[in-house]
Amino acid sequence: MIFTVAIDGPAAAGKGTISRAVAAQFGFAHLDTGLLYRAVGAKGGDPVRAAQTLSDADLARDDLRTLAAGQAASRVATIPEVRAALVAFQRAFARREGGAVLDGRDIGTVICPEAEVKLYVTASAQVRAHRRWLEVGGDEAQVLAEVIERDKRDAERAVSPLKPAPDALVLDTSEMTVEEAVDAARAVIAARIEGRS
C-alpha cells in the first residue's frame, strides 16, 4: 500500500511526537524532514553542497536536536537550491511501499500536496516555548523570543512558507495531552484508510 501522511506545523507543536506514534501504530516509515535541514546546517561549509551530499551518517549525528542546529536549519531552509536538493529525496520517501509519515513545515503544501492525509499541528507560541524550554533548559524568556523569531522567519520566507495546506486538518495541541493529540491524529488516519478499502 502507498499511503502518505503529511504532518506540518511550527517548532515544538508536537508534530514529531505525533508522527512517530502514528507511524508506529500503522507500521508506516517515518521521516522527520527537519532533520534533513538540521543536518545540512550542522555540516557547515557550502549549504547547497551539503544538501546534495547528505548521508545517513549526517542524519545520525547526536547534535541535531540542539537549539543551534534548529536555528541553522531555519537559515539554510531559505536557500532555494538546498530545498530543491532535498525535495526529490522526500518525495521518493513519501511514496514508498508500505506507507510513510513525513513531518516538517511544507509537506502538505509543497512536498506532498497529494498526500492522503494532511495534518497541521500547532499550539500557542507560549506553550511551544515552554515545551522547548523543558527539553533544552536555559532562559525561558529567551527560548520564547527564539520561537517567535523562528515562526516569523518560517512564515515569511519566499520559498515554501510555513502555513497549513487548504485541505489540512488543523490540530491545536495547546490544551491537549500527548495521548489526546495522538488519538486525534490516529482517528483521522484510520478513517481515511478505512475509506479507501
Side-chain angles (χ1 to χ4, degrees), residues 110-183:
V110 175
I111 305 298
C112 302
E114 304 303 318
E116 282 74 15
V117 173
K118 297 178 202 168
L119 298 174
Y120 187 84
V121 180
T122 190
S124 73
Q126 290 74 17
V127 166
R128 292 185 292 112
H130 184 70
R131 290 173 182 167
R132 183 53 51 87
W133 173 75
L134 290 173
E135 284 179 10
V136 300
D139 175 8
E140 190 167 2
Q142 178 63 32
V143 174
L144 175 59
E146 288 172 357
V147 163
I148 291 169
E149 176 196 344
R150 182 158 180 200
D151 286 353
K152 185 176 191 306
R153 188 166 59 234
D154 288 344
E156 293 178 356
R157 67 186 181 208
V159 179
S160 306
L162 171 65
K163 63 181 180 182
D167 55 345
L169 171 73
V170 177
L171 188 61
D172 189 325
T173 66
S174 298
E175 305 293 327
M176 289 181 162
T177 65
V178 171
E179 293 75 19
E180 288 168 341
V182 169
D183 284 347

Side-chain angles (χ1 to χ4, degrees), residues 44-123:
D46 173 37
V48 176
R49 172 124 180 88
Q52 291 167 340
T53 60
L54 208 58
S55 69
D56 288 343
D58 295 321
L59 296 175
R61 289 173 58 141
D62 60 6
D63 63 347
L64 298 183
R65 296 282 177 201
T66 63
L67 276 175
Q71 292 291 337
S74 187
R75 285 190 293 273
V76 301
T78 64
I79 303 169
E81 295 83 0
V82 169
R83 301 190 73 79
L86 299 177
V87 164
F89 178 89
Q90 294 173 76
R91 287 182 173 156
F93 187 96
R95 300 316 280 174
R96 69 197 302 155
E97 188 64 41
V101 179
L102 289 80
D103 72 82
R105 286 181 170 62
D106 63 352
I107 308 305
T109 54
V110 175
I111 305 298
C112 302
E114 304 303 318
E116 282 74 15
V117 173
K118 297 178 202 168
L119 298 174
Y120 187 84
V121 180
T122 190

